[in-house]
Amino acid sequence: MHQTIAVLDFGSQYTQLIARRIRECHVYSKIYHFGVKAAELKRDGVCGIVLSGGPSSVFTRRAPLPDKKIFELGVPVLGICYGLQLMTHLLDGVVEETDHREYGHSTLEISDKTLLLQGISRSIRVWNSHGDRVIKLPRGFQGTARTGNSNYATIEHRKKKLFGLQFHPEVSHTEQGLLIIQNFLTKICGCRGDWSMADFLEQSVQAIREKVGDKRVILGLSGGVDSSVAAALIHRAIGSRLQCVFVDNGLLRLHERDAVVNLFSRNFKMNLRVVRASSLFLGKLKGVTDPERKRKIIGKTFIEVFDDVVRSIGQVDFLAQGTLYPDVIESVAIDGNPASLIKSHHNVGGLPKRMKLKLLEPLRELFKDEVRVLGEELGLPREVLLRQPFPGPGLGVRVIGAITPRNLRVLREADAILNEEMIASGYYYKVWQSFAVFLPVRSVGVMGDKRTYENVIVLRIVESLDAMTADWVRLPYEILQTVSTRIINEVKGVNRVCLDISSKPPGTIEWE
Ligand code: XMP
C-alpha cells in the first residue's frame, strides 16, 4: 500500500500543481473535494493532508469549509493560503479582511527554522495571492516567519502537527518552495518517497477497471501524445472493451493515418475503427475562408461523425478523453479573463453532453511531461511521446483561405519536407512546434527560363513552455536554406518560402 497525501481542493487554480509537486517528491497524492469527511480520509489511510488555496475568503457567505474533524485525526495538515486562513478561522484565531489583495512577490523572513523550514535560507522570495491575513493565532500555534504584509506568513502547532503558509510553495516563483513541500512530506508526514509512475500506472489500471466494470469505452484517437497514452492505458486495463476511433478528416499530415493504424492496430492490437470522412469534411468546408467558421464546421462535423460511429458500434457507456490538467484550466475562463477563449478549442467539452456517455479521463491529473513518462511505462515509442502538438482542426487552420484538395496537397508536401529536415537536424525535439502554412497568395518567380506565378509557404517554428507565450526559433541558416530549396524544387505550386518571425503575443502560434 502506497503512502497517500490528500489534497483538499478549495478551488485554487494551483490544486493540481500542488498534487504534482508532491508526486515530484515521489509521494502519491490524491485530490479530494474540500468537504470530504474525516472518516473517509482515515479509511483511505492518508498520512498527510494539504488544504489548497482558493478564491474564497473565510468571510464570504457559503465559503467552502472542510470537515472540522480533519484537525483531530492526528494526521499532519498543511494549509496553503486560503487553507491557512481556514485553519486559523476554524480553530478560533482571527483573520482580518483587507481591502487590497497582496498579489505577486514578497520577501519571507524566517525567525524560527522549524522542521517545515529546515534547510531554507533565512530570507526567500515567495509568491502571494491573497486578500485576507491572519492577525491572531489560534491557541497552541506560533508564527515562524513573516512578510512585510503579514506577521504570520507561516504558522504551526507543533504538537498537533498543523501548519500554515500564507504564500504558495507550489509555484515556481517561490524560492525553495519544493523543499518546503518535501520537508512537510518527509520530515513531518514520514513519507518514504518511494512512489513512481509505474505505481501510477498500476493504480490507474485498477481505478479504470473499477469504474468501467464490464462496460465498453469509446475513445477518439488522434495519434497525438494525450489520446495515444490514454488509449494505451485504458487498453492495458480493459483490453478489447476499448474501442478506438480514428477520424480521417482529410486535414491530416502526410502518411498520418497509416502511422496510427500501424502502431495501434498492428502493434498494440487495439480495436481501431478508421473512419474515412475526408470528402464529408472537405465538402462542408468548400469555399469557407473565415477561420472561426472553419473551426466550428470541423468541430461540429467531427461530433456528427463520432456520433454515427457510437450509434453503429452498439452499447457503449463511457467516452474516454486524453484531457490533461492544463486543458482543464485553459478551457475555463478564470476571473472572466477571456484569454483562454481566444480561439475555440474543441477538444474539451461538446461531445459528452449530447451523447449521454459517462466521461473517462484517466490523465486529468497529469501534466504533459508526466504523461510522457507514463507513455514510456506503457511501451509507446519515442516518436509518439515526443510528438509536437497538432491542432484538432489540423491542416484546416494552416491552409489560409479556402481549403481545396490542391492547396492541401501543396501544404502537405511542404510540411513533410520541413518535418524531415527538423528530425534529421535534431531540432524537431528541441522546439515546441515546427510546421508549414499555406498562403493563398501568388507571387512572381523565375524557374529555368520561365516566369512562374505560384503560392507562398510560410515556415512557423516556435519555442514555448506552455503555448501561452511563444517565440520564433533562430534556426541555423543552413537548415532554413535546405528546407527552402527543397520545398521550392520538390513541391509543385510553390515558388517562395518565408519565415514567420513573430512572437506570441501578439501573434498566435497557428495562423488561424
Ligand atoms: P495558438 O494558435 O492559439 O495555439 O497560439 C496554441 C497551441 O494550441 C494549439 N491549437 C489547438 N490545439 N485544438 C487543439 O487541440 C485546436 O483547436 C487548437 N488550436 C490551436 C496550437 O497548435 C498551439 O500548440
Side-chain angles (χ1 to χ4, degrees):
M1 179 67 189
H2 287 284
Q3 293 175 307
T4 303
I5 296 286
V7 179
L8 270 51
D9 182 14
F10 291 91
S12 166
Q13 54 171 324
Y14 298 132
T15 303
Q16 309 284 344
L17 190 56
I18 299 171
R20 186 233 160 95
R21 293 287 182 241
I22 297 171
R23 295 196 291 269
E24 274 177 40
C25 299
H26 301 286
V27 174
Y28 181 60
S29 60
K30 185 170 167 192
I31 294 170
Y32 290 81
H33 182 264
F34 66 83
V36 61
K37 291 277 170 267
E40 183 179 337
L41 296 177
K42 193 168 175 192
R43 211 169 40 239
D44 288 356
V46 304
C47 58
I49 299 170
V50 178
L51 312 179
S52 82
S56 315
S57 155
V58 292
F59 298 105
T60 41
R61 234 162 36 94
R62 288 202 243 139
L65 300 177
D67 178 357
K68 232 177 134 177
K69 293 204 190 88
I70 61 169
F71 300 114
E72 306 300 329
L73 283 174
V75 169
V77 181
L78 175 67
I80 294 174
C81 194
Y82 175 72
L84 158 119
Q85 289 150 16
L86 259 181
M87 199 186 284
T88 306
H89 188 67
L90 293 174
L91 301 177
D92 299 322
V94 180
V95 177
E96 176 190 52
E97 226 173 339
T98 57
D99 298 337
H100 66 284
R101 279 183 80 77
E102 186 182 14
Y103 188 81
H105 275 117
S106 67
T107 304
L108 184 79
E109 304 286 349
I110 297 174
S111 53
D112 194 350
K113 286 213 178 187
T114 59
L115 277 184
L116 187 66
L117 301 172
Q118 231 174 52
I120 309 290
S121 316
R122 281 261 161 235
S123 165
I124 54 169
R125 302 242 297 156
V126 296
W127 183 260
N128 303 282
S129 168
H130 61 97
D132 306 341
R133 68 176 166 205
V134 174
I135 52 167
K136 182 168 170 288
L137 293 176
R139 191 135 39 99
F141 275 76
Q142 64 180 101
T144 52
R146 50 181 299 163
T147 61
N149 190 44
S150 167
N151 285 336
Y152 302 116
T154 72
I155 65 170
E156 63 180 64
H157 189 305
R158 218 163 273 181
K159 217 159 125 228
K160 290 193 173 167
K161 297 193 177 173
L162 305 178
F163 301 81
L165 303 173
Q166 180 66 89
F167 56 91
H168 290 274
E170 69 277 20
V171 304
S172 57
H173 312 292
T174 292
E175 286 170 3
Q176 302 181 315
L178 190 61
L179 186 53
I180 299 177
I181 294 174
Q182 183 130 37
N183 281 345
F184 178 70
L185 300 175
T186 55
K187 298 198 162 64
I188 293 161
C189 302
C191 294
R192 294 183 300 271
D194 56 2
W195 178 87
S196 70
M197 205 38 103
D199 298 313
F200 182 90
L201 171 54
E202 207 177 290
Q203 280 157 345
S204 301
V205 164
Q206 283 309 328
I208 293 167
R209 284 185 185 148
E210 266 166 44
K211 184 164 181 181
V212 174
D214 57 2
K215 303 282 193 292
R216 290 172 75 204
V217 177
I218 191 164
L219 176 142
L221 186 63
S222 71
V225 182
D226 310 344
S227 66
S228 299
V229 174
L233 175 61
I234 298 167
H235 184 249
R236 174 77 64 95
I238 60 166
S240 61
R241 279 182 292 118
L242 169 68
Q243 174 68 56
C244 294
V245 178
F246 178 79
V247 177
D248 181 349
N249 58 7
L251 304 166
L252 303 173
R253 287 160 297 182
L254 202 64
H255 306 314
E256 201 166 355
R257 189 179 68 205
D258 297 342
V260 167
V261 171
N262 264 331
L263 179 63
F264 293 96
S265 206
R266 305 231 166 91
N267 280 3
F268 271 84
K269 309 258 181 289
M270 287 187 201
N271 285 336
L272 173 64
R273 167 89 63 101
V274 176
V275 188
R276 296 170 188 244
S278 185
S279 7
L280 177 69
F281 278 86
L282 298 188
K284 292 196 180 197
L285 287 165
K286 202 164 185 181
V288 178
T289 53
D290 177 66
E292 274 302 289
R293 266 199 71 211
K294 281 186 186 176
R295 282 173 174 271
K296 294 251 158 65
I297 291 172
I298 298 167
K300 200 165 153 265
T301 311
F302 180 84
I303 292 175
E304 284 164 16
V305 169
F306 205 80
D307 224 352
D308 284 348
V309 178
V310 175
R311 268 187 252 267
S312 72
I313 63 169
Q315 183 62 36
V316 266
D317 291 82
F318 289 89
L319 171 75
Q321 288 186 328
T323 320
L324 307 194
Y325 172 56
D327 302 334
V328 181
I329 21 178
E330 243 202 90
S331 334
V332 179
I334 296 160
D335 290 336
N337 169 7
S340 55
L341 300 174
I342 288 173
K343 290 179 187 174
S344 45
H345 286 230
H346 70 261
N347 312 47
V348 185
L351 284 173
K353 253 192 252 137
R354 290 176 44 135
M355 295 185 176
K356 302 196 182 73
L357 292 170
K358 284 179 238 154
L359 263 189
L360 183 64
E361 298 181 308
L363 311 179
R364 211 182 154 83
E365 287 173 27
L366 302 184
F367 286 75
K368 196 81 168 192
D369 54 330
E370 295 181 296
V371 170
R372 294 202 170 103
V373 179
L374 179 61
E376 247 172 73
E377 287 289 335
L378 286 158
L380 284 167
R382 178 182 135 100
E383 306 87 78
V384 171
L385 296 175
L386 296 181
R387 241 176 74 139
Q388 295 174 357
F390 185 62
L395 301 185
V397 290
R398 294 181 182 171
V399 167
I400 310 308
I403 303 170
T404 65
R406 183 259 174 196
N407 295 356
L408 271 173
R409 194 260 313 151
V410 170
L411 175 60
R412 226 171 242 140
E413 291 177 7
D415 188 67
I417 291 173
L418 172 63
N419 204 45
E420 259 177 56
E421 295 301 330
M422 291 299 287
I423 289 178
S425 64
Y427 269 89
Y428 179 89
Y429 298 110
K430 292 188 202 154
V431 305
W432 175 264
Q433 269 173 305
S434 47
F435 57 87
V437 179
F438 174 93
L439 299 194
V441 170
R442 282 174 196 255
S443 76
V444 174
V446 52
M447 246 182 170
D449 285 334
K450 278 214 204 98
R451 176 185 181 279
T452 58
Y453 188 51
E454 291 179 324
N455 285 110
V456 180
I457 284 289
V458 176
L459 308 178
R460 182 65 164 149
I461 307 156
V462 295
E463 53 194 12
S464 171
L465 285 176
D466 52 10
M468 302 299 274
T469 61
D471 198 8
W472 59 281
V473 175
R474 277 62 169 171
L475 211 61
Y477 283 165
E478 295 71 31
I479 302 175
L480 289 171
Q481 186 188 339
T482 311
V483 172
S484 159
T485 313
R486 280 196 60 194
I487 291 177
I488 292 169
N489 285 342
E490 297 172 33
V491 183
K492 207 163 152 266
V494 181
N495 66 357
R496 201 173 290 271
V497 172
C498 297
L499 179 66
D500 182 348
I501 51 170
S502 356
S503 61
K504 172 182 180 175
T508 51
I509 296 176
E510 303 290 345
W511 271 50
E512 284 192 338

